[in-house]
Amino acid sequence: MNDPDILVQAAQAAFDAAPTPAELENAKARFLGKAGALTEAMKGLAALPVEQKKAQGAAINQAKQRIDAALQARRDALARAELERQLRAEALDVTLPGRRRGSGGLHPVSRTLMRIEAIFRSMGFDVADGPEIETDWYSFTALNNPENHPARSMQDTFYVDLKDAEGRWLNLRPHTSPMQVRYAQAHAQRHAGSGAMPEIRVIAPGRTYRVDSDATHSPMFHQCEGLWIGENISFKDLKVVFTDFLRRFFETDELEVRFRPSFFPFTEPSAEIDIAFAGGPLKGRWLEVAGSGQVHPNVVRNYGLDPERHIGFAFGMGPDRLTMLRYGVNDLRLFFDGDLRFLSQFQ
Ligand code: PHE
């Protein structure tokens, strides 16, 4: 074991065989430690004759340098291997697509309501909002509904288990028409005694409720009321305003609009408004989109206005229906089921 070359080879082999830094340090101790083979060889020098001492001493020194170098090389190799292992374990695949946060969007009916509002605002209409839980008076009586009108029945209207000051059940408004009365009353009061009252021009979009459910009816649906009252507002103005609205809403002038005589207690004369497209899958079919008419004198009186002086028209349209037509959807209930696979198609 005293041949320095053999020592170097043995150390090299022991270092190379050490699989971990800890075992490498143990192997180092066996050669370079206090009781290590190299240290022992140094001690052995003392017993040698002078001329051998020199040559052997130089050889041992050189062996020590080579063992140190081999040790350092193995330390570096183990450290590199450890680094490689860590890099591999903690590797990031930067080519993997990120996890996106789902982005929200507007409901298709909200988009329709925004379009309706924008178009009517551009025609000088105010946009008003009102309660969904209504009194009997605003939903029916003020709108000239007779006491026994079927719309008042439990089969048609949802009632709330609460009574108003007159002792009548509150209802979930079955239409937005109460907003005609609420808005006109407030307007009339605001301008009371001021001589000339400015015209009333308003739309009132919102949720409405009826006991009804099939492909074209949902118990909760939307309506948008419209009201224009002045001193000389006629059915002609209704036709112009509503036709213009429809053409702008559907972005086509090739749209036929028909006013078909009808009946509502709160308008006289009354008309259903139907439209027909000149092309597309619905070409030539008449589709009902709104009810309308000249406001009945009794209703104008309930606004707090004089029907001899104030006259105008009202309409009530179905934004859900307009949304179905605009996007070609054939089941109204899809809008309110909350299925994102359906709703996200409108973004
Ligand atoms: N309120 C009516 C309905 O729900 C629509 C309508 C509004 C008709 C205004 C005439 C005037 O069917």
Side-chain angles (χ1 to χ4, degrees):
M1 252 327 230
N2 278 354
D3 182 333
D5 279 341
I6 290 177
L7 267 184
V8 172
Q9 272 170 34
Q12 179 85 60
F15 295 164
D16 286 349
T20 65
E23 281 169 83
L24 178 60
E25 296 314 308
N26 286 341
K28 170 199 159 188
R30 272 190 277 127
F31 292 93
L32 301 173
K34 271 192 194 133
L38 201 78
T39 320
E40 290 303 321
M42 298 273 229
K43 286 181 193 155
L45 280 180
L48 290 179
V50 178
E51 57 286 7
Q52 270 185 40
K53 216 185 244 177
K54 210 173 158 199
Q56 184 70 357
I60 289 175
N61 254 336
Q62 210 193 32
K64 181 174 185 308
Q65 276 167 23
R66 287 166 66 199
I67 291 173
D68 277 340
L71 174 69
Q72 197 49 49
R74 183 62 184 157
R75 276 180 179 152
D76 289 350
L78 285 177
R80 254 196 322 275
E82 169 61 12
L83 184 65
E84 290 288 329
R85 192 198 58 76
Q86 247 180 20
L87 286 176
R88 236 177 292 117
E90 294 166 17
L92 282 182
D93 181 354
V94 294
T95 66
L96 206 65
R99 284 186 208 98
R100 282 165 198 265
R101 181 179 294 208
S103 61
L106 288 171
H107 191 281
V109 173
S110 299
R111 287 175 183 273
T112 295
L113 292 172
M114 288 167 75
R115 283 176 69 75
I116 294 173
E117 288 174 22
I119 295 170
F120 277 100
R121 274 189 205 280
S122 79
M123 294 196 270
F125 280 71
D126 193 7
V127 177
D129 198 12
E132 290 170 29
I133 296 178
E134 262 301 1
T135 63
D136 197 76
W137 193 80
Y138 278 110
S139 283
F140 303 115
T141 311
L143 292 165
N144 203 35
N145 277 79
E147 205 54 55
N148 57 356
H149 192 279
R152 292 184 121 121
S153 81
M154 297 278 231
Q155 279 75 39
D156 287 343
T157 298
F158 288 110
Y159 284 88
V160 178
D161 197 3
L162 268 180
K163 286 182 177 173
D164 65 17
E166 293 182 316
R168 288 172 168 257
W169 299 110
L170 295 174
N171 58 74
L172 292 184
R173 64 177 181 187
H175 52 180
T176 44
S177 299
M179 279 307 293
Q180 287 179 29
V181 189
R182 287 185 177 276
Y183 187 90
Q185 277 184 327
H187 185 91
Q189 268 166 30
R190 200 161 43 241
H191 299 286
S194 69
M197 186 191 80
E199 288 187 344
I200 296 171
R201 219 180 293 170
V202 66
I203 60 164
R207 277 185 286 266
T208 46
Y209 304 84
R210 279 186 208 174
V211 184
D212 221 349
S213 184
D214 60 38
T216 53
H217 298 89
S218 142
M220 187 289 298
F221 59 107
H222 295 83
Q223 276 199 350
C224 180
E225 199 74 8
L227 181 66
W228 188 348
I229 299 286
E231 300 206 343
N232 198 14
I233 304 301
S234 72
F235 216 93
K236 174 196 73 190
D237 299 298
L238 165 63
K239 289 181 95 165
V240 170
V241 164
F242 211 81
T243 303
D244 190 33
F245 159 70
L246 287 169
R247 293 193 169 150
R248 287 169 69 183
F249 182 84
F250 287 108
E251 297 171 279
T252 172
D253 283 343
E254 280 160 41
L255 187 79
E256 280 192 84
V257 183
R258 172 172 89 175
F259 288 75
R260 178 167 42 87
S262 183
F263 173 81
F264 299 100
F266 33 94
T267 46
E268 181 59 38
S270 304
E272 306 276 0
I273 306 175
D274 301 335
I275 59 171
F277 295 98
L282 295 169
K283 178 180 166 161
R285 265 178 56 198
W286 287 107
L287 308 154
E288 187 187 317
V289 293
S292 66
Q294 182 155 329
V295 180
H296 194 287
N298 287 347
V299 178
V300 175
R301 218 168 278 121
N302 288 329
Y303 293 167
L305 297 174
D306 175 5
E308 294 298 322
R309 233 183 113 188
H310 301 283
I311 186 166
F313 62 79
F315 57 80
M317 64 175 132
D320 307 327
R321 198 75 200 286
L322 294 181
T323 312
M324 290 170 79
L325 293 174
R326 186 164 150 80
Y327 295 112
V329 174
N330 56 17
D331 191 332
L332 174 73
R333 292 167 295 192
L334 287 168
F335 288 134
F336 311 121
D337 282 347
D339 186 337
L340 288 178
R341 289 170 307 175
F342 171 73
L343 294 175
S344 59
Q345 294 176 59
F346 299 89
Q347 302 315 315

